[in-house]
Amino acid sequence: MTVPSTPPNQGGRDYGLIDVTLRDAHQCLWSTRMTTPMMTPILSRIDAVGYSFVNILGGAVFDVQVRFLQENPWQRVGILCEHLKTPCDGLTRGQSLYTFELFADDVVALNSKVLARRGLSVLTVYDALNDMRNIESSLRSGHAEGMRVNAMMVYALSPVHDDAYFIARTRELVALRADFISIKDPTGLLTPERAETLFPAVAAAADGIPLQLHTHCQSALAPLVHEVAMKSGFRYGHTAVEPLANGASLPAAEEIDDRARALGFRTGIDRRALADVNGYFAMLAEREDKPRGEVATYDPALYEHQVPGGMISNLRSQLAAMRLEDRMPEILEETARVRKDLGYPILVSPFAQYIVTQSVLNVVQGERYKTIPDEVRKYAMGFYGRLAAPPSAEFLAKAKIDPRDVSTTRPGDSIPPALPALRKRLGPGASDEDLLLAAFYEPALLEPLRAPMPACRFETTPAMELVRYIESRRDIRQARVRFAGAEITLTA
């Protein structure tokens, strides 16, 4: 799959849409449980919509495929890239790739090689600390394999995350020769007012590199933020199809298209094709008993704790299992305090999990930092990368950390090459894809991936999906369908 050599808005009034339905949308609303056979029937209609890119891969998607869906993630990438004419985009977590562990540079480079070989056109990469040293290997290897690289910086609110901070990060990405620069707002914290100052500043610092906006709908303000992005010269916006949009997900393509048209911008999407895609995923949600996205209500508390919606729902269920659900407000308040104590880490994986875990421990144990998980201690020591601000004296004292011992080394420089040992262990017959999976996971998790993937269909019609839905319902013994003057009866 080749990427267009010129950005789509040479006229200055285009705002291309990047679809995230096959990645982030179901990650947010369906716990990342969309299988490959659920995706393939509608690929031709997704192509017809006219998206600039289709995002098909991410850290959680890769991990859930292995751990829960028991699908080979490389096969999905290959299938989708082969059958989609629209260029495909895949996201990794920098030096961590798909998990919470840091990997050697040779593993990062081999990952880029495998993705390019499978047909990926754009490699999207971010680091949860915005330490751009952690994405250098991905940029270098992605370019070496012929992919364009979309480098993200993650948005957050704190006294240190001001315009100057993001201008500095943007200039670092310019120096790394990123092909695209994105603002990633995983919790939906951006407001139109904040964007009015931030977006023009980033655009000026980007030196002509095309800008993308990725913002979630947890505050219900994302569509308004997209309007500011368009006016500020951003080239692309990330959206989802309507049944999997809104809430903790991203805005619906229709809404962003409507707002773009009202402002005189072109998205290039075909609304009839988009309606077909919406209809398919609406039927899929019904058949698989999955939730549809709903527009969120504005919650001022979001701007204090900054915890992503999916994590809040997981935390609530875990607290309920421990009969501690009444402590939820207290834990969210503590999350804001812990984040301040730790130098304002951005609440995105894996640090969102670390901060929330520390907050739960502080509240449940009745003493702040009585227990400090190893991962939190390693974060404060600079093991994962450069912190936005120094941790508080209280935390450092409780953790018994001397600030002089905090690492300033690029994390990847401390990790020895991993591939020679993997090749020796797996033998000469191991493929590059096998080597990578062995680097990421224990053998027991990989054994189920040897089974063939279930058969995939590559076409569909509303009638076909209706029949499949009726077949999936055990409470329906007989159904009568009338269409275009004809009537058929289906019997179980």
Side-chain angles (χ1 to χ4, degrees), residues 372-382 395 398-401:
I372 300 175
D374 290 344
E375 291 79 7
V376 174
R377 196 181 303 272
K378 288 164 70 175
Y379 155 82
M381 292 288 294
F395 172 81
K398 287 288 185 73
K400 296 181 173 57
I401 294 174

Side-chain angles (χ1 to χ4, degrees), residues 94-95 97 103-117 123 136-142 144-145 147 419 432 436:
Q95 208 76 32
L97 295 174
F103 293 100
D105 288 339
D106 60 348
V107 173
V108 174
L110 186 61
N111 181 73
S112 294
K113 181 178 181 179
V114 166
L115 291 178
R117 185 187 297 150
L123 177 65
E136 288 177 4
S137 290
S138 296
L139 273 149
R140 185 168 55 248
S141 59
E145 298 300 334
M147 293 184 289
L419 293 182
D432 290 343
L436 289 171

